[in-house]
Coordinates of all heavy atoms in Angstrom, one line a residue:
M10 N 203.1 66.4 195.7 CA 204.2 66.9 194.9 C 204.0 66.5 193.4 O 204.3 67.3 192.6 CB 205.5 66.3 195.4 CG 205.9 66.8 196.7 SD 207.3 65.9 197.5 CE 208.6 66.2 196.4
T11 N 203.4 65.4 193.1 CA 203.2 65.0 191.7 C 201.8 65.1 191.3 O 201.5 64.8 190.2 CB 203.6 63.5 191.6 OG1 202.7 62.7 192.3 CG2 205.0 63.2 192.0
N12 N 200.9 65.6 192.2 CA 199.5 65.8 191.9 C 198.8 64.5 191.5 O 197.8 64.4 190.7 CB 199.3 66.8 190.8 CG 199.7 68.2 191.2 OD1 199.6 68.6 192.4 ND2 200.3 68.9 190.3
Q13 N 199.3 63.3 192.0 CA 198.8 62.0 191.7 C 198.2 61.4 192.9 O 198.1 60.1 193.0 CB 199.9 61.1 191.0 CG 200.4 61.6 189.8 CD 199.4 61.7 188.7 OE1 198.6 60.8 188.5 NE2 199.4 62.8 187.9
V14 N 197.8 62.1 193.9 CA 197.4 61.6 195.2 C 196.2 60.7 195.0 O 196.1 59.6 195.5 CB 197.1 62.7 196.2 CG1 196.5 62.1 197.5 CG2 198.4 63.5 196.5
E15 N 195.2 61.2 194.2 CA 194.0 60.4 194.0 C 194.2 59.1 193.3 O 193.7 58.1 193.6 CB 192.9 61.2 193.3 CG 192.3 62.3 194.1 CD 193.2 63.6 194.1 OE1 194.2 63.7 193.3 OE2 192.9 64.5 194.9
I16 N 195.1 59.1 192.3 CA 195.4 57.9 191.6 C 196.1 56.9 192.5 O 195.7 55.7 192.5 CB 196.2 58.2 190.3 CG1 195.4 59.0 189.3 CG2 196.8 56.9 189.7 CD1 196.1 59.5 188.1
Y17 N 197.0 57.4 193.3 CA 197.7 56.5 194.2 C 196.7 55.8 195.2 O 196.8 54.6 195.4 CB 198.8 57.2 194.9 CG 199.5 56.3 196.0 CD1 200.5 55.4 195.5 CD2 199.2 56.4 197.3 CE1 201.1 54.6 196.5 CE2 199.8 55.5 198.2 CZ 200.7 54.6 197.8 OH 201.3 53.8 198.7
E18 N 195.8 56.6 195.7 CA 194.9 56.1 196.7 C 194.0 55.0 196.0 O 193.7 54.0 196.6 CB 194.1 57.2 197.3 CG 194.9 58.0 198.3 CD 194.2 59.3 198.8 OE1 193.0 59.5 198.4 OE2 194.8 60.0 199.5
A19 N 193.6 55.3 194.8 CA 192.7 54.3 194.1 C 193.5 53.0 193.8 O 192.9 51.9 194.0 CB 192.2 54.9 192.8
L20 N 194.7 53.2 193.4 CA 195.5 52.0 193.1 C 195.7 51.2 194.4 O 195.6 49.9 194.4 CB 196.8 52.3 192.5 CG 196.8 52.8 191.1 CD1 198.2 53.3 190.6 CD2 196.3 51.7 190.2
E21 N 196.0 51.9 195.5 CA 196.2 51.2 196.7 C 195.0 50.4 197.2 O 195.1 49.3 197.6 CB 196.6 52.2 197.8 CG 197.0 51.5 199.1 CD 197.5 52.6 200.2 OE1 196.9 53.7 200.2 OE2 198.4 52.2 200.9
Q22 N 193.8 51.0 197.0 CA 192.6 50.4 197.5 C 192.2 49.2 196.6 O 191.7 48.2 197.1 CB 191.4 51.4 197.4 CG 191.5 52.4 198.5 CD 190.4 53.5 198.4 OE1 189.5 53.3 197.6 NE2 190.5 54.5 199.2
V23 N 192.5 49.3 195.3 CA 192.0 48.2 194.4 C 193.1 47.2 194.1 O 192.9 46.0 194.2 CB 191.6 48.9 193.1 CG1 191.2 47.8 192.1 CG2 190.4 49.8 193.3
L24 N 194.3 47.6 193.8 CA 195.3 46.7 193.4 C 196.2 46.2 194.5 O 196.5 45.0 194.7 CB 196.2 47.4 192.3 CG 195.5 47.7 191.0 CD1 196.5 48.4 190.1 CD2 194.9 46.5 190.4
A25 N 196.8 47.1 195.3 CA 197.9 46.7 196.2 C 197.4 45.7 197.3 O 198.2 44.9 197.7 CB 198.4 48.0 196.9
K26 N 196.1 45.7 197.6 CA 195.7 44.8 198.7 C 195.8 43.4 198.2 O 195.8 42.5 199.0 CB 194.3 45.2 199.1 CG 194.2 46.5 199.9 CD 192.9 46.8 200.4 CE 192.9 48.1 201.2 NZ 191.6 48.5 201.7
G27 N 195.7 43.1 196.9 CA 195.8 41.8 196.4 C 197.2 41.4 195.9 O 197.3 40.3 195.3
V28 N 198.2 42.2 196.1 CA 199.5 42.0 195.6 C 200.4 41.3 196.6 O 200.4 41.8 197.8 CB 200.1 43.3 195.1 CG1 201.6 43.0 194.6 CG2 199.3 43.9 193.9
D29 N 201.1 40.3 196.3 CA 202.1 39.6 197.1 C 203.4 40.2 196.7 O 203.8 40.1 195.6 CB 202.1 38.1 197.0 CG 200.8 37.5 197.4 OD1 200.1 38.1 198.2 OD2 200.6 36.3 197.0
F30 N 204.1 40.8 197.7 CA 205.5 41.3 197.4 C 206.6 40.4 197.9 O 206.4 39.7 198.9 CB 205.6 42.7 198.1 CG 204.7 43.7 197.6 CD1 203.4 43.9 198.1 CD2 205.1 44.5 196.5 CE1 202.5 44.9 197.6 CE2 204.2 45.5 195.9 CZ 203.0 45.7 196.5
D31 N 207.7 40.4 197.2 CA 208.9 39.7 197.7 C 209.4 40.4 198.9 O 209.7 41.6 198.8 CB 209.9 39.7 196.5 CG 211.1 38.9 196.9 OD1 211.8 39.2 197.9 OD2 211.4 38.0 196.2
P32 N 209.5 39.7 200.0 CA 210.0 40.4 201.2 C 211.4 41.0 201.2 O 211.7 41.9 201.9 CB 209.9 39.3 202.3 CG 209.8 38.0 201.6 CD 209.3 38.3 200.2
R33 N 212.2 40.4 200.3 CA 213.6 40.9 200.2 C 213.7 42.1 199.3 O 214.4 43.1 199.7 CB 214.5 39.8 199.8 CG 214.8 38.7 200.9 CD 215.6 37.6 200.4 NE 214.7 36.8 199.6 CZ 215.0 35.7 199.0 NH1 216.3 35.3 199.0 NH2 214.2 34.9 198.4
S34 N 213.1 42.0 198.2 CA 213.3 43.1 197.2 C 212.2 44.2 197.2 O 212.3 45.3 196.8 CB 213.3 42.5 195.8 OG 212.1 42.0 195.4
G35 N 211.0 43.8 197.8 CA 209.9 44.7 197.8 C 209.1 44.8 196.4 O 208.2 45.5 196.3
I36 N 209.6 43.9 195.5 CA 209.0 43.9 194.2 C 207.7 43.0 194.2 O 207.7 41.9 194.8 CB 210.0 43.4 193.1 CG1 211.1 44.4 193.0 CG2 209.3 43.2 191.8 CD1 212.3 44.0 192.1
A37 N 206.7 43.4 193.5 CA 205.5 42.6 193.4 C 205.8 41.3 192.7 O 206.5 41.2 191.7 CB 204.4 43.4 192.6
R38 N 205.3 40.2 193.2 CA 205.5 38.9 192.7 C 204.3 38.3 192.0 O 204.3 37.7 190.9 CB 205.9 37.9 193.7 CG 207.3 38.0 194.2 CD 207.8 36.8 194.9 NE 207.1 36.6 196.2 CZ 207.5 35.8 197.1 NH1 208.5 34.9 196.9 NH2 206.8 35.7 198.2
R39 N 203.1 38.5 192.6 CA 201.9 38.0 192.0 C 200.7 38.8 192.6 O 200.8 39.5 193.6 CB 201.7 36.5 192.4 CG 201.4 36.1 193.8 CD 201.3 34.6 194.0 NE 202.6 34.0 193.8 CZ 203.5 33.9 194.8 NH1 203.4 34.4 196.0 NH2 204.7 33.3 194.5
W40 N 199.6 38.7 191.8 CA 198.4 39.5 192.2 C 197.2 38.6 192.3 O 197.0 37.7 191.4 CB 198.2 40.6 191.1 CG 197.0 41.4 191.2 CD1 196.5 41.9 192.4 CD2 196.1 41.9 190.2 NE1 195.4 42.7 192.1 CE2 195.1 42.6 190.8 CE3 196.1 41.7 188.8 CZ2 194.1 43.2 190.0 CZ3 195.1 42.3 188.1 CH2 194.1 43.1 188.7
H41 N 196.4 38.7 193.3 CA 195.1 38.0 193.5 C 194.1 39.1 193.2 O 193.7 39.8 194.1 CB 195.0 37.5 194.9 CG 196.1 36.6 195.3 ND1 196.0 35.2 195.2 CD2 197.3 36.8 195.8 CE1 197.1 34.6 195.6 NE2 197.9 35.6 196.0
P42 N 193.6 39.2 192.0 CA 192.6 40.2 191.6 C 191.3 40.3 192.4 O 190.8 41.3 192.6 CB 192.4 40.0 190.1 CG 192.8 38.7 189.8 CD 193.8 38.3 190.8
L43 N 190.9 39.1 192.8 CA 189.6 39.0 193.7 C 189.9 38.2 194.9 O 189.3 37.2 195.1 CB 188.5 38.4 192.9 CG 188.1 39.1 191.6 CD1 187.0 38.3 190.8 CD2 187.5 40.5 192.0
R44 N 190.9 38.6 195.7 CA 191.4 37.9 196.8 C 190.3 37.4 197.7 O 190.3 36.2 198.2 CB 192.4 38.7 197.6 CG 193.0 37.9 198.8 CD 194.1 38.6 199.4 NE 195.3 38.2 198.5 CZ 196.5 38.4 198.9 NH1 196.8 39.0 200.0 NH2 197.5 38.0 198.1
N45 N 189.3 38.2 198.0 CA 188.2 37.7 199.0 C 187.2 36.8 198.3 O 186.8 35.8 199.0 CB 187.5 39.0 199.5 CG 188.4 39.8 200.4 OD1 189.3 39.3 201.0 ND2 188.1 41.1 200.4
D46 N 186.9 37.0 197.1 CA 185.9 36.2 196.4 C 186.4 35.0 195.7 O 185.8 33.9 195.6 CB 185.0 37.0 195.5 CG 184.3 38.1 196.2 OD1 183.9 38.0 197.3 OD2 184.1 39.2 195.6
C47 N 187.6 35.1 195.1 CA 188.2 34.0 194.3 C 189.7 33.9 194.8 O 190.6 34.3 194.0 CB 188.1 34.3 192.8 SG 186.5 34.5 192.2
P48 N 190.0 33.5 196.0 CA 191.3 33.5 196.5 C 192.4 32.7 195.8 O 193.5 33.0 195.9 CB 191.2 33.0 198.0 CG 189.9 32.2 197.9 CD 189.0 32.9 196.9
N49 N 191.9 31.7 195.0 CA 192.9 30.9 194.3 C 193.2 31.4 192.9 O 194.0 30.8 192.2 CB 192.4 29.5 194.2 CG 192.4 28.9 195.6 OD1 193.3 28.9 196.4 ND2 191.2 28.3 196.0
V50 N 192.5 32.5 192.4 CA 192.9 33.1 191.1 C 194.1 33.9 191.3 O 194.1 34.9 192.2 CB 191.7 33.9 190.6 CG1 192.1 34.6 189.3 CG2 190.5 33.0 190.3
V51 N 195.1 33.6 190.5 CA 196.4 34.3 190.7 C 196.9 34.8 189.3 O 196.8 34.1 188.3 CB 197.4 33.4 191.3 CG1 198.8 34.1 191.4 CG2 197.0 32.9 192.6
V52 N 197.4 36.0 189.3 CA 198.1 36.5 188.1 C 199.6 36.6 188.4 O 200.0 37.4 189.3 CB 197.6 37.9 187.6 CG1 198.3 38.4 186.5 CG2 196.1 37.8 187.3
D53 N 200.4 35.8 187.8 CA 201.8 35.7 188.1 C 202.5 35.8 186.7 O 202.3 34.9 185.9 CB 202.1 34.4 188.8 CG 203.6 34.3 189.3 OD1 204.5 34.9 188.6 OD2 203.8 33.7 190.3
P54 N 203.4 36.8 186.5 CA 204.0 36.9 185.2 C 204.9 35.7 184.9 O 205.2 35.5 183.7 CB 204.8 38.2 185.3 CG 204.9 38.5 186.8 CD 203.8 37.8 187.4
R55 N 205.3 34.9 185.8 CA 206.2 33.8 185.6 C 205.4 32.5 185.2 O 206.0 31.5 184.8 CB 207.0 33.5 186.8 CG 207.9 34.6 187.3 CD 208.4 34.4 188.6 NE 207.3 34.3 189.6 CZ 207.4 33.9 190.8 NH1 208.6 33.5 191.3 NH2 206.4 33.8 191.6
I56 N 204.0 32.6 185.3 CA 203.2 31.4 185.0 C 202.2 31.7 183.9 O 201.5 32.8 184.0 CB 202.5 31.0 186.3 CG1 203.5 30.6 187.4 CG2 201.5 29.8 186.0 CD1 202.9 30.4 188.7
A57 N 202.1 30.9 182.9 CA 201.1 31.0 181.9 C 201.1 32.3 181.2 O 200.1 32.8 180.8 CB 199.7 30.6 182.4
G58 N 202.3 32.9 181.0 CA 202.4 34.2 180.3 C 201.7 35.3 181.0 O 201.3 36.3 180.4
G59 N 201.4 35.2 182.3 CA 200.8 36.2 183.1 C 199.2 36.1 183.0 O 198.6 37.0 183.5
Q60 N 198.7 35.1 182.4 CA 197.3 34.9 182.4 C 196.8 34.5 183.8 O 197.5 33.9 184.5 CB 196.9 33.7 181.5 CG 197.2 33.9 180.0 CD 196.8 32.7 179.3 OE1 195.6 32.3 179.2 NE2 197.8 32.0 178.7
P61 N 195.5 34.9 184.1 CA 195.0 34.5 185.4 C 194.9 32.9 185.4 O 194.4 32.3 184.5 CB 193.6 35.1 185.4 CG 193.6 36.2 184.4 CD 194.6 35.7 183.4
T62 N 195.3 32.3 186.5 CA 195.3 30.9 186.7 C 194.7 30.6 188.0 O 194.6 31.4 188.9 CB 196.7 30.3 186.6 OG1 197.5 30.8 187.7 CG2 197.4 30.6 185.3
I63 N 194.4 29.3 188.2 CA 193.9 28.8 189.5 C 195.1 28.1 190.2 O 195.7 27.2 189.6 CB 192.8 27.7 189.3 CG1 191.5 28.5 188.9 CG2 192.6 26.9 190.5 CD1 190.8 29.2 190.0
A64 N 195.4 28.5 191.4 CA 196.5 27.9 192.1 C 196.0 26.7 192.9 O 194.8 26.7 193.2 CB 197.1 28.9 193.2
P65 N 196.7 25.7 193.1 CA 198.1 25.6 192.9 C 198.5 24.9 191.6 O 199.6 24.8 191.2 CB 198.6 24.7 194.0 CG 197.5 23.7 194.3 CD 196.2 24.6 194.0
K66 N 197.5 24.5 190.8 CA 197.7 23.7 189.5 C 198.1 24.6 188.4 O 198.6 24.2 187.4 CB 196.5 22.9 189.1 CG 196.1 21.8 190.1 CD 196.9 20.6 189.7 CE 196.3 19.4 190.6 NZ 196.8 18.1 190.1
H67 N 197.9 25.9 188.5 CA 198.2 26.9 187.5 C 197.5 26.7 186.1 O 198.1 26.9 185.1 CB 199.7 27.0 187.3 CG 200.5 27.3 188.5 ND1 200.2 28.4 189.3 CD2 201.4 26.5 189.2 CE1 201.0 28.3 190.4 NE2 201.7 27.2 190.3
V68 N 196.3 26.3 186.2 CA 195.5 26.1 185.0 C 194.8 27.4 184.7 O 194.2 28.1 185.6 CB 194.3 25.0 185.2 CG1 193.5 24.9 184.0 CG2 194.9 23.7 185.6
P69 N 195.0 27.9 183.5 CA 194.3 29.2 183.1 C 192.8 29.2 183.4 O 192.1 28.3 183.0 CB 194.7 29.4 181.6 CG 195.9 28.6 181.4 CD 195.8 27.4 182.3
T70 N 192.3 30.3 184.0 CA 190.9 30.4 184.3 C 190.1 30.3 183.0 O 189.0 29.8 183.0 CB 190.6 31.6 185.1 OG1 191.0 32.8 184.3 CG2 191.2 31.6 186.4
R71 N 190.6 30.9 181.9 CA 189.9 30.9 180.7 C 189.7 29.5 180.1 O 188.7 29.2 179.6 CB 190.7 31.8 179.6 CG 190.0 31.9 178.3 CD 188.8 32.9 178.5 NE 188.0 32.8 177.3 CZ 186.7 32.9 177.2 NH1 186.1 33.1 178.3 NH2 186.1 32.9 176.1
A72 N 190.7 28.6 180.3 CA 190.6 27.2 179.8 C 189.5 26.5 180.6 O 188.7 25.8 180.0 CB 191.9 26.5 180.0
L73 N 189.5 26.7 181.9 CA 188.4 26.1 182.8 C 187.1 26.6 182.4 O 186.1 25.8 182.2 CB 188.7 26.3 184.2 CG 190.0 25.7 184.8 CD1 190.3 26.3 186.2 CD2 189.8 24.2 184.9
F74 N 187.0 27.9 182.2 CA 185.7 28.5 181.8 C 185.2 28.0 180.4 O 184.0 27.7 180.3 CB 185.8 30.0 181.8 CG 184.5 30.7 181.4 CD1 183.5 30.8 182.3 CD2 184.4 31.2 180.1 CE1 182.3 31.5 182.0 CE2 183.2 31.9 179.8 CZ 182.2 32.0 180.7
S75 N 186.1 27.9 179.5 CA 185.8 27.5 178.1 C 185.2 26.1 178.1 O 184.2 25.8 177.5 CB 187.0 27.6 177.2 OG 187.3 28.9 177.0
L76 N 185.9 25.2 178.9 CA 185.4 23.8 178.9 C 184.1 23.7 179.7 O 183.1 23.0 179.3 CB 186.4 22.9 179.5 CG 186.0 21.4 179.5 CD1 185.8 20.9 178.1 CD2 187.1 20.5 180.2
W77 N 184.0 24.5 180.8 CA 182.7 24.6 181.5 C 181.6 25.0 180.6 O 180.5 24.4 180.7 CB 182.9 25.5 182.7 CG 181.7 25.8 183.5 CD1 181.2 25.0 184.5 CD2 180.8 26.9 183.4 NE1 180.0 25.6 185.0 CE2 179.8 26.7 184.3 CE3 180.7 28.0 182.6 CZ2 178.7 27.6 184.5 CZ3 179.7 28.9 182.7 CH2 178.7 28.7 183.7
S78 N 181.8 26.0 179.8 CA 180.8 26.5 178.9 C 180.4 25.4 177.9 O 179.2 25.1 177.6 CB 181.2 27.7 178.1 OG 181.4 28.8 179.0
A79 N 181.4 24.7 177.3 CA 181.2 23.7 176.3 C 180.5 22.4 176.9 O 179.8 21.8 176.2 CB 182.6 23.2 175.7
E80 N 180.7 22.2 178.2 CA 180.1 21.0 178.8 C 178.8 21.4 179.5 O 178.3 20.6 180.4 CB 181.0 20.4 179.9 CG 182.2 19.8 179.3 CD 181.9 18.5 178.5 OE1 180.9 17.9 178.8 OE2 182.6 18.2 177.5
G81 N 178.2 22.5 179.1 CA 176.9 22.9 179.7 C 176.8 23.2 181.1 O 175.9 23.0 181.8
G82 N 178.0 23.7 181.6 CA 178.0 24.1 183.0 C 178.3 23.0 184.0 O 178.0 23.2 185.2
D83 N 178.9 21.9 183.6 CA 179.1 20.8 184.4 C 180.5 21.0 185.1 O 181.5 20.7 184.5 CB 179.1 19.5 183.6 CG 179.1 18.2 184.5 OD1 179.6 18.3 185.6 OD2 178.6 17.2 184.1
H84 N 180.5 21.4 186.4 CA 181.7 21.6 187.1 C 182.5 20.3 187.3 O 183.8 20.3 187.3 CB 181.4 22.2 188.5 CG 180.9 23.6 188.4 ND1 179.5 23.9 188.2 CD2 181.5 24.8 188.5 CE1 179.3 25.2 188.2 NE2 180.5 25.8 188.4
R85 N 181.8 19.2 187.5 CA 182.5 18.0 187.8 C 183.3 17.5 186.7 O 184.5 17.1 186.8 CB 181.4 16.9 188.2 CG 182.0 15.6 188.6 CD 181.0 14.5 188.7 NE 180.1 14.4 187.6 CZ 180.4 13.8 186.5 NH1 181.5 13.3 186.3 NH2 179.5 13.7 185.5
V86 N 182.8 17.6 185.4 CA 183.5 17.1 184.3 C 184.8 17.9 184.1 O 185.8 17.4 183.8 CB 182.6 17.2 183.0 CG1 183.4 17.0 181.7 CG2 181.5 16.2 183.1
V87 N 184.6 19.2 184.2 CA 185.8 20.1 184.1 C 186.9 19.8 185.1 O 188.0 19.7 184.8 CB 185.4 21.6 184.1 CG1 186.6 22.5 184.0 CG2 184.4 21.9 183.0
A88 N 186.4 19.6 186.4 CA 187.4 19.3 187.5 C 188.1 18.0 187.2 O 189.3 17.9 187.3 CB 186.6 19.2 188.8
D89 N 187.4 17.0 186.7 CA 188.0 15.7 186.4 C 189.0 15.9 185.2 O 190.1 15.3 185.2 CB 187.0 14.7 186.0 CG 186.1 14.2 187.2 OD1 186.6 14.5 188.4 OD2 185.1 13.6 187.0
W90 N 188.6 16.6 184.2 CA 189.4 16.8 183.0 C 190.8 17.4 183.3 O 191.8 17.0 182.8 CB 188.6 17.6 182.0 CG 189.3 17.7 180.7 CD1 190.2 18.8 180.3 CD2 189.3 16.9 179.5 NE1 190.7 18.6 179.1 CE2 190.1 17.4 178.6 CE3 188.6 15.7 179.3 CZ2 190.3 16.8 177.3 CZ3 188.8 15.1 178.0 CH2 189.6 15.7 177.1
F91 N 190.7 18.5 184.2 CA 191.9 19.3 184.5 C 192.6 18.8 185.8 O 193.7 19.3 186.1 CB 191.6 20.7 184.5 CG 191.5 21.4 183.2 CD1 190.3 21.6 182.6 CD2 192.6 21.8 182.5 CE1 190.1 22.2 181.4 CE2 192.5 22.4 181.2 CZ 191.3 22.6 180.7
G92 N 192.0 17.9 186.5 CA 192.6 17.4 187.7 C 192.7 18.5 188.8 O 193.6 18.6 189.6
V93 N 191.6 19.3 188.9 CA 191.5 20.3 189.9 C 190.2 20.0 190.7 O 189.4 19.2 190.3 CB 191.4 21.7 189.3 CG1 192.7 22.0 188.6 CG2 190.2 21.9 188.4
S94 N 190.0 20.8 191.8 CA 188.8 20.6 192.6 C 187.6 21.3 191.9 O 187.8 22.2 191.1 CB 189.0 21.2 194.0 OG 189.1 22.6 193.9
R95 N 186.4 20.9 192.3 CA 185.2 21.5 191.8 C 185.2 23.0 192.2 O 184.7 23.8 191.5 CB 184.0 20.7 192.4 CG 182.7 21.1 191.8 CD 181.6 20.2 192.2 NE 180.4 20.3 191.4 CZ 179.4 21.2 191.7 NH1 179.5 22.0 192.7 NH2 178.4 21.2 190.9
D96 N 185.7 23.2 193.4 CA 185.7 24.6 193.9 C 186.6 25.5 193.0 O 186.3 26.6 192.8 CB 186.3 24.7 195.4 CG 185.3 24.1 196.4 OD1 184.1 24.0 196.0 OD2 185.7 23.8 197.5
A97 N 187.7 24.9 192.5 CA 188.6 25.6 191.6 C 187.9 26.0 190.4 O 188.0 27.1 189.9 CB 189.8 24.8 191.3
V98 N 187.1 25.1 189.8 CA 186.3 25.4 188.6 C 185.3 26.5 188.9 O 185.1 27.4 188.1 CB 185.6 24.1 188.1 CG1 184.7 24.4 186.9 CG2 186.6 23.0 187.7
E99 N 184.6 26.4 190.0 CA 183.7 27.4 190.4 C 184.3 28.8 190.5 O 183.8 29.8 190.0 CB 183.0 27.1 191.7 CG 182.0 25.9 191.6 CD 181.4 25.4 192.9 OE1 181.7 26.1 193.9 OE2 180.7 24.4 192.9
E100 N 185.5 28.9 191.1 CA 186.2 30.1 191.2 C 186.6 30.7 189.8 O 186.5 31.9 189.6 CB 187.5 30.0 192.1 CG 187.2 30.1 193.5 CD 188.5 30.1 194.3 OE1 189.4 31.0 194.0 OE2 188.6 29.4 195.3
A101 N 187.1 29.8 189.0 CA 187.5 30.2 187.6 C 186.3 30.7 186.9 O 186.4 31.8 186.2 CB 188.1 29.0 186.9
V102 N 185.2 30.1 187.0 CA 183.9 30.5 186.3 C 183.5 31.9 186.8 O 183.2 32.8 186.1 CB 182.8 29.5 186.4 CG1 181.5 30.0 185.9 CG2 183.2 28.2 185.6
E103 N 183.5 32.0 188.1 CA 183.1 33.3 188.7 C 184.0 34.4 188.3 O 183.5 35.5 187.9 CB 183.1 33.2 190.3 CG 182.6 34.5 190.9 CD 182.6 34.4 192.4 OE1 182.6 33.3 193.0 OE2 182.5 35.5 193.0
F104 N 185.3 34.1 188.3 CA 186.3 35.1 187.9 C 186.0 35.6 186.4 O 186.0 36.8 186.1 CB 187.7 34.6 188.1 CG 188.7 35.6 187.6 CD1 189.1 36.7 188.3 CD2 189.3 35.4 186.3 CE1 190.0 37.6 187.8 CE2 190.2 36.3 185.9 CZ 190.6 37.4 186.6
E105 N 185.9 34.6 185.5 CA 185.7 34.9 184.1 C 184.4 35.7 183.9 O 184.3 36.6 183.0 CB 185.8 33.7 183.3 CG 187.2 33.1 183.2 CD 188.2 34.0 182.4 OE1 187.7 34.7 181.5 OE2 189.4 33.9 182.7
V106 N 183.3 35.3 184.6 CA 182.0 36.0 184.4 C 182.2 37.4 184.9 O 181.7 38.3 184.2 CB 180.9 35.2 185.2 CG1 179.7 36.1 185.3 CG2 180.6 33.9 184.5
R107 N 182.8 37.6 186.0 CA 183.0 39.0 186.5 C 183.9 39.8 185.6 O 183.7 41.0 185.5 CB 183.5 38.9 188.0 CG 182.4 38.4 188.9 CD 182.9 38.2 190.3 NE 183.2 39.5 190.9 CZ 183.5 39.6 192.2 NH1 183.5 38.6 193.0 NH2 183.7 40.8 192.7
L108 N 184.9 39.1 185.1 CA 185.8 39.8 184.2 C 185.1 40.3 182.9 O 185.3 41.4 182.4 CB 187.0 38.9 183.8 CG 188.1 39.4 182.9 CD1 188.9 40.5 183.7 CD2 189.1 38.3 182.6
A109 N 184.2 39.5 182.4 CA 183.5 39.8 181.2 C 182.5 41.0 181.5 O 182.1 41.7 180.5 CB 182.7 38.6 180.7
A110 N 182.0 41.0 182.7 CA 181.0 42.1 183.0 C 181.8 43.4 183.1 O 181.5 44.4 182.7 CB 180.4 41.8 184.4

């Protein structure tokens, strides 16, 4: 009816699979842009101004990536500094690298 079938299908394949919806209202609450590869990266408009963050600490991925770059790629130092796991730093770095590509 709206001639937007292809766009809807593309959005459903790419975006909707990573979106968490409120069960009562049906409204999107948060998005996991790389749910399979970086499951802890979350975009939530209520947290950090909608910047991608690492759950559950809600540290912006960009902040983790910036310190990781400044520290010569030392995941441990970044994890200690922000109080997150080494895995969280690795996910943030992977997300930011993929985002830049």
Side-chain angles (χ1 to χ4, degrees):
M10 293 168 62
T11 64
N12 297 323
Q13 299 296 316
V14 175
E15 290 82 12
I16 292 173
Y17 176 78
E18 289 173 2
L20 287 173
E21 184 177 40
Q22 289 176 8
V23 176
L24 297 177
K26 290 182 180 177
V28 176
D29 294 338
F30 293 92
D31 184 300
R33 287 177 280 178
S34 68
I36 296 174
R38 285 199 289 191
R39 69 186 66 86
W40 176 40
H41 301 266
L43 298 174
R44 180 166 279 195
N45 293 333
D46 299 328
C47 301
N49 294 308
V50 174
V51 178
V52 176
D53 187 328
R55 300 168 298 168
I56 299 169
Q60 295 178 63
T62 62
I63 287 288
K66 296 272 188 165
H67 306 302
V68 178
T70 57
R71 184 73 189 145
L73 294 166
F74 179 78
S75 293
L76 185 58
W77 175 82
S78 295
E80 290 294 329
D83 191 333
H84 293 84
R85 184 189 51 78
V86 169
V87 178
D89 289 345
W90 183 269
F91 281 99
V93 298
S94 70
R95 190 172 195 272
D96 289 342
V98 176
E99 289 175 2
E100 277 190 47
V102 169
E103 180 178 348
F104 176 78
E105 290 291 331
V106 167
R107 290 175 70 171
L108 185 64

